[in-house]
Amino acid sequence: MKNTRLTLISTAAVLLTAALLAGCGDSSSGGPDAISIGEYASLSGKEAAFGQSSHRGTLIAMEELNAAGGLLGKKINFIFEDNRSTPGESATIAKKLITRDHVVAVLGEVASGRSLEAGPICQANKIPMISPSSTNPKVTETGDYIFRVCFTDPFQGKLLAEFAKRSLKAKNVAVFSDVSAPYSMGLAQFFKEPFAANGGTIVSEQKYTGGDKDFKAQLTAIKAANPDAIFVPGYYTEAGLIVSQARQLGITVPLFGGDGWEAPELLQIAGPALEGTYYSTHFSAENQDPNIQKFVQSYKAKNNGETPDAMAALGYDSAMVLADAIKRAGTTESAKLREAIAATKDYAGLTGKTTLDAQRNATKSAVIITVKDGKFKYLETIAP
Ligand code: PHE
């Protein structure tokens, strides 16, 4: 008897934990007088560091908005779901958010590949979607209901090509990209074109698949091509392993990447091997702007002293750009809300002034970060 009860209790506990881990949530009580806003995010799985950062930034925005009375006299009912960083989940979640939860807009995703999955659902249902940080151009090309608050990869690729030439003094570069990520394949292309146009040479092109753990064969081929630097447009999980294994193979040239490198986990994965590596991203918490420092303080207070990264700032900005548009529209009716988001001009966010162009993209400065003495260090800002 006792045993059965214990089993029942522990089964209930397991189910409860599973529900919590599934990450589905609802940050306020909602009700008919609330405005429902949805988010789909990589809260667990391979890119959880991105998803969690972005989500925490978004949560701070929602809390600030609700503390200030909500929107249009109603509280915000923020509903979020975890896609576990896996393909095939984001479209289902977007459908559920729209048809079951009746959200007025959808926030997400960090990774371009998953924004490309949910975008068509939002577009077909005419529900505005704002991606905080998907940089692949195709994301907003999905249709007129799809927006982003970050710069795009044609800009990021070009600035990295210039950085490689000017700061790394690299003439010969090897490119090592992830065939499974549209972000990685796109950024590789957007780097190669301007780099070659500026007189640079791509001496080796190697590929891996997200989830791979051993990169030694491709790195050996890269080493043989004797590049001045290695470009790794990919996500931190693999980028970290690639940097470590490159150093183990005696490759001493700089490695560099794009915003996919941005995660504290990168330091845990690659440690001292990261000295002398570089990446571009959207934001630096070292910026002394008072609004940024206010955000840094509230993020730290809520997240065990952790410093916010670019995804956190972009998550916050995506929610605030939406809130600003809802206020200007004076309604959450979808066509009017879409118009108001499209009209976003000079919105002063944490990642710079956001103006959305006719292609629903933002044009913003990037920052270059390096790793020094085991810490991320701001190096320079590059304007568009
Ligand atoms: N820009 C990457 C993508 O589009 C994701 C990313 C966002 C990485 C922000 C780091 C910071 O897939």
Side-chain angles (χ1 to χ4, degrees):
M1 188 64 193
K2 231 181 184 172
N3 278 342
T4 322
R5 264 184 61 192
L6 257 183
T7 318
L8 279 179
I9 291 168
S10 56
T11 311
V14 167
L15 286 176
L16 181 67
T17 320
L20 289 173
L21 282 176
C24 337
D26 187 336
S27 78
S28 74
S29 50
D33 284 333
I35 291 179
S36 293
I37 296 177
E39 181 203 24
Y40 65 106
S42 320
L43 298 178
S44 61
K46 208 164 106 20
E47 271 95 48
F50 286 164
Q52 285 289 349
S53 278
S54 180
H55 175 65
R56 290 179 191 146
T58 309
L59 267 184
I60 291 181
M62 295 299 171
E63 283 164 14
E64 286 181 5
L65 288 164
N66 272 338
L71 292 167
L72 311 180
K74 297 178 179 180
K75 285 276 181 213
I76 302 168
N77 177 27
F78 180 48
I79 305 164
F80 54 91
E81 296 270 347
D82 180 13
N83 59 29
R84 300 180 293 148
S85 306
T86 48
E89 301 263 327
S90 298
T92 316
I93 294 176
K95 263 182 217 142
K96 181 206 151 259
L97 289 171
I98 294 168
T99 56
R100 203 189 82 185
D101 301 323
H102 306 292
V103 300
V104 302
V106 172
L107 300 174
E109 226 256 32
V110 286
S112 293
R114 293 188 280 280
S115 291
L116 285 165
E117 289 183 23
I121 305 295
C122 296
Q123 178 66 32
N125 286 280
K126 295 195 166 17
I127 291 296
M129 173 182 124
I130 306 181
S131 165
S133 49
S134 290
T135 46
N136 188 282
K138 293 204 179 78
V139 170
T140 47
E141 285 165 13
T142 301
D144 61 348
Y145 275 78
I146 314 298
F147 301 86
R148 81 178 104 223
V149 293
C150 55
F151 56 64
T152 61
D153 287 331
F155 165 66
Q156 181 165 224
K158 187 162 176 274
L159 78 88
L160 286 167
E162 283 160 13
F163 172 78
K165 187 180 178 191
R166 174 176 37 83
S167 301
L168 301 180
K169 311 259 179 281
K171 278 179 108 48
N172 298 327
V173 167
V175 179
F176 193 12
S177 49
D178 176 354
V179 280
S180 71
Y183 158 73
S184 186
M185 295 312 286
L187 188 54
Q189 200 56 37
F190 298 123
F191 169 83
K192 284 190 286 181
E193 286 158 8
F195 187 68
N198 268 335
T201 307
I202 306 297
V203 291
S204 175
E205 269 188 69
Q206 297 293 324
K207 306 265 186 288
Y208 64 90
T209 302
D212 285 356
K213 301 259 179 308
D214 185 348
F215 304 91
K216 295 227 171 77
Q218 299 98 312
L219 286 168
T220 304
I222 288 176
K223 190 179 180 191
N226 201 20
D228 303 322
I230 304 170
F231 180 43
V232 184
Y235 294 124
Y236 62 91
T237 328
E238 289 84 16
L241 293 173
I242 289 170
V243 169
S244 318
Q245 292 173 22
R247 297 298 183 235
Q248 281 162 27
L249 288 173
I251 297 174
T252 55
V253 297
L255 287 96
F256 64 105
D259 61 344
W261 280 36
E262 167 97 339
E265 280 73 2
L266 183 74
L267 294 171
Q268 287 153 24
I269 298 169
L274 284 165
E275 297 292 311
T277 61
Y278 306 84
Y279 65 85
S280 53
T281 189
H282 309 260
F283 162 90
S284 165
E286 290 176 54
N287 189 321
Q288 289 308 311
D289 175 281
N291 282 332
I292 292 181
Q293 287 311 316
K294 184 176 155 257
F295 174 72
V296 170
Q297 290 323 319
S298 50
Y299 190 94
K300 281 187 169 170
K302 292 192 164 85
N303 298 289
N304 300 320
E306 205 182 291
T307 304
D309 56 16
M311 278 84 69
L314 285 168
Y316 181 91
D317 280 357
S318 67
M320 287 305 195
V321 162
L322 173 63
D324 174 65
I326 292 176
K327 285 184 205 155
R328 279 186 289 108
T331 170
T332 52
E333 193 269 302
S334 91
K336 296 210 173 86
L337 178 55
R338 193 216 78 83
E339 286 297 312
I341 300 170
T344 298
K345 199 171 179 295
D346 287 338
Y347 180 81
L350 300 172
T351 55
K353 278 205 173 132
T354 305
T355 296
L356 294 176
D357 64 19
Q359 282 72 47
R360 301 168 297 285
N361 297 324
T363 304
K364 290 180 168 175
S365 296
V367 297
I368 302 278
I369 309 277
T370 186
V371 178
K372 209 157 171 29
D373 304 324
K375 290 203 180 92
F376 291 129
K377 185 116 201 61
Y378 164 84
L379 206 61
E380 58 179 302
T381 298
I382 301 180

